[in-house]
Amino acid sequence: MPKEVTHGSIHVDRICSKKPDRDATCEPGRKDKTKAKKRYLKAKKDRRKKRKSTTAPVSKNATEGVEGGEEEEDEDEEMSDAESAADEPPPPPKPEHRPKKRRKVEVDVPETQNTHSEADVHIPEATGQEAAAVVSEKPDPQPTTPNALPSFPAPTRPDAPSRATLALQGLDKALIQADLIEPTRVISINVESSDDATGLSPRMKKRLGELNVTELFAVQTAVIPLLLSEPKQWQLYLPYNTPRDLCVSAPTGSGKTLAYVVPIVEVLSSRTVTRLRALVVLPTRDLVLQVRETFEAVGKGRGLRIGTATGQHSFAHEQTQLVADRSPGTTETTTKEQGVLDIVMEKFTMPASLTEHMLVCGSSQKPLMLFYLVHERGVKNALVFTKSAESTNRLVKLFEFFESTWMSQGGEYQPMTVQAYSSELGASDRKSILERFKKQDINILVCSDLISRGIDISHVSHVVSYDAPVDMRKYVHRVGRTARAGRAGDAWTLVEEQEARYFKNMLKSADHMNAVKRLRISEKDVESLVPAYEQSLEQLKEAYSR
Ligand SMILES: Nc1ncnc2c1ncn2[C@@H]1O[C@H](COP(=O)(O)OP(=O)(O)OP(=O)(O)O)[C@@H](O)[C@H]1O
C-alpha cells in the first residue's frame, strides 16, 4: 500500500488496515467494468452530451445542477454495481459493522462546513432596478418653512393650592362648613325634669350628678341631644334610621370624652342581643385606659362590659375580650394611628383659661430656668415635657441633686418630689406613677410626649415644655394638659436661642404668636439659685462618670 498520502487519506489507510475484508471496495482503482456496464455508461454519456448541447448558457444554478449530475452518476454507478452483481458470484458475507460510520470519518470536516456555509448563506445583491425602486420610496423633500411662526402665549405657573385646600379635597361639605358652637354655651342637667334639653334619661342624670357633672359643656350640648333625640328615648338605632356621621373639633379639655361616652352608654343600655356594638379608636395606650375608666364610671350599674385592645396581650386574648364576649352589651376601646382628619383639623382653639409664656435662653441655662420657674414662679403640680426618655432621666437626676442642695443651703424648705414618666417604664409602673401624681404625692412629672395626648389630670396647673415642641400639633397637645374643664392653667416653653426663630415662625404660621407672652429673666433674677445649680451640675457629672 502506498504510504505517501494526504492528511485526509490517513483515515482511509487506517480503516483499510483494520478491515482487510473490505480491501476490494476500498481500492482507489475499481474492478474491470462488465460489458453491460460499459454499454450503460456510453448511453449515459451520449445523453449528457445531448443535454449539454440543448441547455442555456451556464449559470450558478446550472453549475450546481452539473455537480448534482455527477452525484447522480456516482449513484448510477452504484446502481449498475447492484445490477451487475446479479451476474457475478455472491459477495463475501458483510462484516457486522457496516463502514457507514467509517465513511463519515473520511469527510474532512472544516472543508465540508465551509462548503455548506457558502451554499446556505445566499445574500442577493440589489440590481440596478431594485436600487432605483428604493430611492423612489424616499419621502419628498421637506416643505419650505414659512418666514414667521405663529406666536404662542408664554407659559405661566399656576399657584399651588395651599395645604389646607388640598386636605379638604374630597371631604363632605358638612365637614368644611361646620356648625360653630358658642364655647360658653352650657345646658343645666335637671334631675327633677324628665323633658329638659339634654335628652338624657333620669338614670343617666342621676349618675352624672354623682360624678359632679351638673351641666353639659358646649361640645356636649351639640353632640349629646343630637345623638339621643332620634329615635326618641335612649333606644338602639334602627338599622334604616341611624344618626348622621358626626365630626367634632373642640379645644383640649373641653369635654369631648363625655360627649361620646354618655350617648353610647344610654343607647346600649336598651340592647337585648349580645354583640360588639361600639368601637372607640384612640391614639395611645394610656388614653385607652383613661377612656375605659370613663366608660366604667358613667356606665356603672348598666351591665355593659368594656374590652380593650392595645396590643399588649396576645391577639387571641384580645379577640376573646372583644368578640366572644358573653356580656349583654359590649364596648371596645382601641388605639389608632393619626388619620387624615388630623390634617384637616389644623385650625385649633386653645382653652380660654390658658395663659401661655415663652422663655428664650442659652441651652446650658435651661435647667436653671426650670428651677427658677419652680422656686420663683410657683410652678407646681406640673408636667415637664422633654424630647426623649434619656433627657427625662437626666433632668430628673439633676433636679433631685438641686433640690437636696437647695434645701441644705436654704434651711426650712419642703423639697419638690420629681418623678420621671417615660416609655422606658412598664405599664403597671406608669399607672402607679400617674396615681401618685393625681394624689399629689408627686409635684413634678418629667415626661416625654407619651402623655401629651388626651391624658386628663385635672389638678395639673402648669405645663413646661423643657424642650420646645417641634410642631404646632405637639404644642397644642402639650399645653392642653392644663386649663382643662374651665380651670386656669399656665404653659411655659423654654426655647434655646438657636431655636427661637423656628419656634416663632411656627407660632406665626398658626396665627398664634400674640397669644404667647415672652418672659425675660435677668441674671439678677436667678442669682440666688446659681450656687446650688452649679453644685448640682458637678454632682451630675460625677454620677455619670462613675
Ligand atoms: N359637663 C362636665 N362637667 C364637669 N366636668 C366635665 C364635664 N365634661 C367633662 N368634664 C371634665 O373635663 C375634663 C376634660 O374632659 P375631656 O378629657 O373629655 O376633654 P377632651 O376634650 O377630651 O380633652 P383632650 O382634647 O385633651 O382629650 C375631664 O376631667 C372631665 O371629667
Side-chain angles (χ1 to χ4, degrees):
M1 292 278 297
K3 293 287 173 192
E4 225 175 277
V5 288
T6 60
H7 173 77
S9 65
I10 288 171
H11 300 280
V12 177
D13 180 41
R14 278 191 194 150
I15 292 162
C16 294
S17 64
K18 274 185 183 175
K19 307 280 178 192
D21 304 357
R22 302 288 293 164
D23 274 357
T25 52
C26 293
E27 279 286 338
R30 300 279 174 102
K31 61 182 178 178
D32 290 341
K33 291 171 181 149
T34 59
K35 277 181 186 171
K37 188 173 181 182
K38 276 179 184 166
R39 267 202 308 277
Y40 168 77
L41 287 173
K42 192 165 178 289
K44 189 178 175 188
K45 224 173 199 173
D46 292 344
R47 277 204 306 277
R48 193 187 294 166
K49 269 183 191 165
K50 221 178 197 178
R51 212 163 48 220
K52 271 187 183 171
S53 62
T54 54
T55 319
V58 179
S59 67
K60 200 178 177 211
N61 289 342
T63 315
E64 283 171 1
V66 170
E67 282 168 5
E70 280 173 7
E71 280 172 20
E72 195 183 334
E73 186 180 358
D74 289 342
E75 280 170 21
D76 290 345
E77 279 180 14
E78 281 176 18
M79 278 171 58
S80 65
D81 280 349
E83 281 169 16
S84 60
D87 302 333
E88 288 177 11
K94 288 184 180 174
E96 252 182 60
H97 301 289
R98 296 273 301 165
K100 251 188 176 174
K101 285 183 185 170
R102 306 286 181 177
R103 286 180 78 171
K104 271 189 186 171
V105 179
E106 288 174 44
V107 176
D108 192 320
V109 175
E111 280 175 26
T112 313
Q113 278 177 349
N114 287 341
T115 314
H116 273 283
S117 62
E118 278 170 20
D120 292 343
V121 182
H122 172 67
I123 304 167
E125 286 175 17
T127 62
Q129 277 181 348
E130 284 167 351
V134 171
V135 170
S136 71
E137 278 171 21
K138 278 187 180 173
D140 292 330
Q142 292 288 323
T144 51
T145 49
N147 288 341
L149 288 169
S151 64
F152 292 98
T156 52
R157 184 194 281 184
D159 289 339
S162 71
R163 205 165 156 247
T165 312
L166 286 174
L168 293 174
Q169 272 184 353
L171 283 182
D172 195 282
K173 217 174 165 192
L175 275 179
I176 302 164
Q177 297 167 353
D179 292 340
L180 292 177
I181 311 293
E182 201 45 53
T184 50
R185 187 171 111 180
V186 290
I187 301 177
S188 291
I189 301 170
N190 189 348
V191 187
E192 306 300 322
S193 166
S194 61
D195 196 24
D196 62 5
T198 61
L200 297 170
S201 68
R203 199 172 174 186
M204 178 58 81
K205 286 178 185 172
K206 189 165 172 278
R207 182 65 197 139
L208 289 178
E210 288 164 7
L211 295 171
N212 293 324
V213 176
T214 53
E215 58 184 14
L216 295 187
F217 285 174
V219 65
Q220 295 157 0
T221 64
V223 176
I224 295 174
L226 178 80
L227 293 179
L228 293 180
S229 59
E230 284 295 333
K232 194 69 187 159
Q233 300 305 323
W234 329 294
Q235 291 167 1
L236 285 180
Y237 303 120
L238 295 169
Y240 52 84
N241 191 20
T242 54
R244 287 177 303 144
D245 290 340
L246 205 57
C247 181
V248 175
S249 171
T252 50
S254 59
K256 293 185 288 289
T257 314
L258 279 186
Y260 62 82
V261 168
V262 169
I264 288 175
V265 171
E266 285 278 56
V267 169
L268 292 194
S269 296
S270 67
R271 83 283 160 200
T272 46
V273 179
T274 302
R275 69 170 63 138
L276 177 63
R277 294 182 183 275
L279 180 71
V280 181
V281 185
L282 299 156
T284 64
R285 287 174 181 167
D286 293 319
L287 204 46
V288 167
L289 297 181
Q290 182 179 291
V291 171
R292 184 193 172 124
E293 280 169 15
T294 310
F295 265 110
E296 281 168 350
V298 175
K300 193 178 172 192
R302 299 288 189 109
L304 289 174
R305 183 143 164 212
I306 301 116
T308 52
T310 54
Q312 281 177 316
H313 301 285
S314 73
F315 179 78
H317 174 81
E318 293 192 333
Q319 194 182 33
T320 318
Q321 285 262 306
L322 303 175
V323 182
D325 191 81
R326 293 272 158 212
S327 63
T330 307
T331 309
E332 175 194 357
T333 50
T334 185
T335 55
K336 83 161 181 74
E337 292 301 316
Q338 284 180 347
V340 178
L341 279 178
D342 286 336
I343 301 168
V344 181
M345 296 306 158
E346 279 205 324
K347 278 196 159 207
F348 51 85
T349 326
M350 290 296 195
S353 51
L354 177 70
T355 314
E356 297 164 75
H357 317 262
M358 66 182 269
L359 272 93
V360 180
C361 60
S363 56
S364 61
Q365 298 293 299
K366 278 207 300 187
L368 186 59
M369 293 300 133
L370 176 63
F371 303 148
Y372 167 79
L373 290 178
V374 170
H375 290 286
E376 305 294 333
R377 295 273 177 158
V379 170
K380 207 180 164 187
N381 297 327
L383 291 175
V384 176
F385 287 99
T386 61
K387 62 184 170 208
S388 65
E390 208 259 314
S391 53
T392 294
N393 294 337
R394 204 165 10 154
L395 182 60
V396 167
K397 224 171 204 91
L398 182 65
F399 214 136
E400 285 168 350
F401 286 136
F402 180 84
E403 286 303 296
S404 58
T405 312
W406 176 253
M407 193 181 68
S408 65
Q409 289 177 356
E412 276 184 33
Y413 174 72
Q414 181 68 31
M416 290 281 169
T417 325
V418 185
Q419 176 68 49
Y421 183 87
S422 73
S423 52
E424 283 181 353
L425 297 165
S428 60
D429 287 340
R430 294 217 298 263
K431 199 175 170 209
S432 78
I433 289 171
L434 275 189
E435 289 302 323
R436 282 171 57 212
F437 185 62
K438 280 177 187 173
K439 282 191 220 155
Q440 302 188 25
D441 291 343
I442 295 169
N443 303 122
I444 291 169
L445 204 57
V446 183
C447 48
S448 50
D449 282 304
L450 188 72
I451 58 170
S452 70
R453 283 204 73 167
I455 288 290
D456 176 54
I457 303 165
S458 56
H459 77 278
V460 173
S461 52
H462 296 270
V463 166
V464 181
S465 280
Y466 178 80
D467 290 316
V470 289
D471 57 37
M472 201 59 200
R473 193 178 303 159
K474 211 159 243 180
Y475 179 80
V476 171
H477 285 302
R478 280 184 182 184
V479 301
R481 295 316 96 207
T482 187
R484 297 176 72 77
R487 292 183 202 94
D490 283 90
W492 312 82
T493 306
L494 306 185
V495 186
E496 291 178 25
E497 276 151 2
Q498 71 273 14
E499 298 168 341
R501 185 195 287 207
Y502 176 85
F503 184 72
K504 283 181 195 165
N505 283 343
M506 184 186 88
L507 293 177
K508 271 182 203 157
S509 59
D511 206 12
H512 196 64
M513 188 64 202
N514 293 337
V516 184
K517 294 177 198 161
R518 181 158 179 183
L519 184 68
R520 293 176 199 276
I521 298 170
S522 65
E523 278 185 16
K524 202 160 179 275
D525 292 332
V526 292
E527 193 173 58
S528 60
L529 302 171
V530 172
Y533 174 55
E534 284 176 350
Q535 202 174 321
S536 58
L537 277 179
E538 282 303 315
Q539 288 171 313
L540 186 75
K541 209 169 157 188
E542 251 176 60
Y544 272 91
S545 61
R546 259 181 239 143

